Amino acid sequence: PMEDDTPPGAEPEVEVLHLEEDRIVFALTRVDISVANALRRVMIAEVPTMAIDLVEVKENTTVLHDEYIAHRLGLIPLKSSSAMQFNASRECSCPDACPRCSVKFTLDVKCEEALRR
């Protein structure tokens, strides 16, 4: 376990180092590591994000399994200025997928020549 130098009963301190409309840099001191981690987790959970969730592979001639490719696509961070306008798919009232809760992204790639090493 990591050493905690925070004295018992110490008041947490937050110093704002940089503030913009959509970004803040701050220093959090005099808090237990578990509290700092809990705050980090809450901030991450509250930031609206978009991610690739459902992947349909029409043709895959690679050595990689479809599930592996789908998983890796889901790890790509997607930046969207309209993320706040979308409903979470689990909260949308549509039966399948609609423009209020989903975006269609098409990837059509073909390797035309063999790569040489």
Side-chain angles (χ1 to χ4, degrees):
M2 296 180 69
E3 294 288 326
D4 186 10
D5 298 341
T6 306
E11 291 291 322
E13 292 181 8
V14 178
E15 179 185 358
V16 177
L17 304 173
H18 186 75
L19 179 63
E20 295 177 20
E21 182 180 342
D22 60 348
R23 180 184 165 131
I24 184 170
V25 178
F26 63 92
L28 178 64
T29 57
R30 300 178 67 179
V31 295
D32 186 71
I33 294 170
S34 62
V35 173
N37 189 44
L39 180 61
R40 179 189 66 82
R41 288 176 175 261
V42 168
M43 288 187 292
I44 289 171
E46 293 301 317
V47 172
T49 57
M50 297 185 81
I52 297 172
D53 185 34
L54 177 63
V55 176
E56 178 184 331
V57 178
K58 299 221 181 211
E59 182 181 357
N60 177 8
T61 59
T62 71
V63 296
L64 303 174
H65 296 286
D66 294 352
E67 295 80 9
Y68 177 78
I69 295 171
H71 173 71
R72 298 293 296 191
L73 288 171
L75 296 175
I76 298 171
L78 302 176
K79 185 175 181 179
S80 172
S81 59
S82 60
M84 291 287 292
Q85 299 168 5
F86 280 87
N87 296 330
S89 57
R90 64 185 172 280
E91 297 170 357
C92 194
S93 59
C94 70
D96 190 22
C98 72
R100 292 185 313 269
C101 67
S102 65
V103 175
K104 184 174 183 177
F105 178 76
T106 303
L107 178 64
D108 186 6
V109 179
K110 183 176 183 178
C111 181
E112 298 293 337
E113 62 182 65
L115 298 176
R116 295 179 188 190
R117 290 186 181 212

